[in-house]
Amino acid sequence: MSGTEKKTGRERGEEWWQTDIIEMRPGVIRLRGYEIQDLIGRVSFPAVIWLMLRGELPSEDQAELLGIALAAAVDHGPQAPSIAIARMAATCGVGINSAMASAINVLGDVHGGAGEQALSFYGDIAVAIDAGMTLNEAVSARLDRFFAEEKGYVPGLGHRFHPVDPRAPPLLELTREFAARGAVNGRFADIAEAVEADVERRKGKKIPLNIDGATAVIYGELGFPPPLTRGLFVLSRSVGILAHAWEQSQQAERNKGPLPREWLWAYTGTPVRPFPESDDPGE
């Protein structure tokens, strides 16, 4: 076709959306080049997630470790805003999809973003190591910068409910097991533990690794970029969101707010006052 020849409507349509992810036409569905019928029954859900995000099928170890991380963060109870919102939405009579969407929409920087922040933090340290620093030097330099320039908590450490997050130690232990058999190299596990140790030295007390720090280790070991870890957390927590939305939808309560009816909020505004008496509202 010459440069001046007009493209057909079909050609223009095909160029409107372009994707390397899926090929689909009547009777054909291919994910990253694989026929869907060849994947069904032979590839696990974590492996399909990997394929869709990364373009290639993972090894069995890679898929297993990804599944371990996803399973660890599925739920943390109705005290977690996303879970509470899913349940409250269900009591308002909306469908499962609306309850789930309401919950997922609050998974932001404060609730749901800590894993991404932790992996970015670990990644800065990894870059410094690649530039010639030792592990301890790189960790110390990054923490110096954090405490001098940034606010809040060191990403991936501490938990407001758990003295030791019960999910973190087994995740680190499993990461070490996978590293021992060559599935990952253990680099991010080393970084996370060195951060934990350096913060303990500075603070005079141990602030243990939490679920976000531990899953960030796994996602880093598996080569996922930090922004994708938030999406992976959303996939994981959606399981708990779905379970709670469904459970609540089967119960009788309607319009169930965040507090029991006998516990009202604290009003901090203007005390009760009389409405000004006047015959002329304009006075």
Side-chain angles (χ1 to χ4, degrees):
M1 183 173 66
S2 68
T4 58
E5 190 175 345
K6 289 185 178 180
K7 295 180 180 179
T8 67
R10 177 177 177 177
E11 289 169 332
R12 291 197 301 271
E14 289 173 346
E15 291 181 356
W16 185 256
W17 293 114
Q18 296 184 35
T19 176
D20 294 336
I21 298 171
I22 184 170
E23 181 183 0
M24 190 281 295
R25 60 180 183 272
V28 174
I29 301 173
R30 296 190 184 105
L31 303 181
R32 300 287 193 179
Y34 291 103
E35 302 280 2
I36 189 65
Q37 59 266 34
D38 293 337
L39 298 174
I40 292 172
R42 299 168 66 185
V43 179
S44 68
F45 186 40
V48 171
I49 293 171
W50 183 293
L51 173 65
M52 294 292 282
L53 295 176
R54 307 282 286 271
E56 299 293 340
L57 286 169
S59 69
E60 290 185 8
D61 281 342
Q62 289 170 330
E64 184 181 355
L65 189 54
L66 175 59
I68 287 168
L70 291 169
V74 294
D75 193 11
H76 199 238
Q79 59 80 30
S82 55
I83 300 297
I85 287 169
R87 298 192 74 113
M88 286 189 290
T91 70
C92 295
V94 302
I96 286 287
N97 61 313
S98 294
M100 292 186 70
S102 297
I104 289 169
N105 278 337
V106 301
L107 294 175
D109 288 342
V110 175
H111 174 40
E116 177 183 353
Q117 295 154 14
L119 184 51
S120 293
F121 195 89
Y122 301 158
D124 291 343
I125 295 167
V127 168
I129 294 170
D130 289 341
M133 284 188 175
T134 66
L135 171 61
N136 290 335
E137 288 171 344
V139 167
S140 182
R142 185 62 184 90
L143 285 171
D144 286 344
R145 190 163 81 253
F146 177 84
F147 289 119
E149 301 173 2
E150 302 172 49
K151 296 180 180 179
Y153 303 100
V154 175
L157 298 183
H159 202 285
R160 63 193 181 115
F161 282 95
H162 306 296
V164 175
D165 190 326
R167 300 163 291 188
L171 288 176
L172 261 292
E173 182 179 347
L174 285 164
T175 301
R176 294 296 190 192
E177 290 179 11
F178 278 78
R181 62 187 194 229
V184 295
N185 63 30
R187 183 187 203 192
F188 284 89
D190 291 340
I191 290 172
E193 291 180 344
V195 169
E196 183 183 62
D198 198 315
V199 170
E200 180 179 6
R201 177 182 62 79
R202 293 168 187 253
K203 299 287 188 180
K205 62 178 181 179
K206 186 171 184 177
I207 304 175
L209 203 68
N210 60 30
I211 180 67
D212 300 304
T215 52
V217 164
I218 291 177
Y219 295 142
E221 295 284 351
L222 293 175
F224 286 97
L228 270 183
T229 65
R230 187 180 308 210
L232 290 169
F233 176 77
V234 171
L235 287 176
S236 175
R237 186 52 57 89
S238 292
V239 177
I241 288 169
L242 173 59
H244 282 273
W246 174 249
E247 181 182 67
Q248 190 65 56
S249 72
Q250 304 306 297
Q251 298 176 4
E253 295 93 343
R254 297 184 61 190
N255 297 325
K256 189 174 183 179
L259 294 172
R261 284 176 289 183
E262 63 272 18
W263 290 2
L264 296 180
W265 58 92
Y267 175 67
T268 57
T270 305
V272 62
R273 52 183 167 174
F275 187 80
E277 295 183 5
S278 170
D279 294 333
D280 183 357
E283 290 183 0

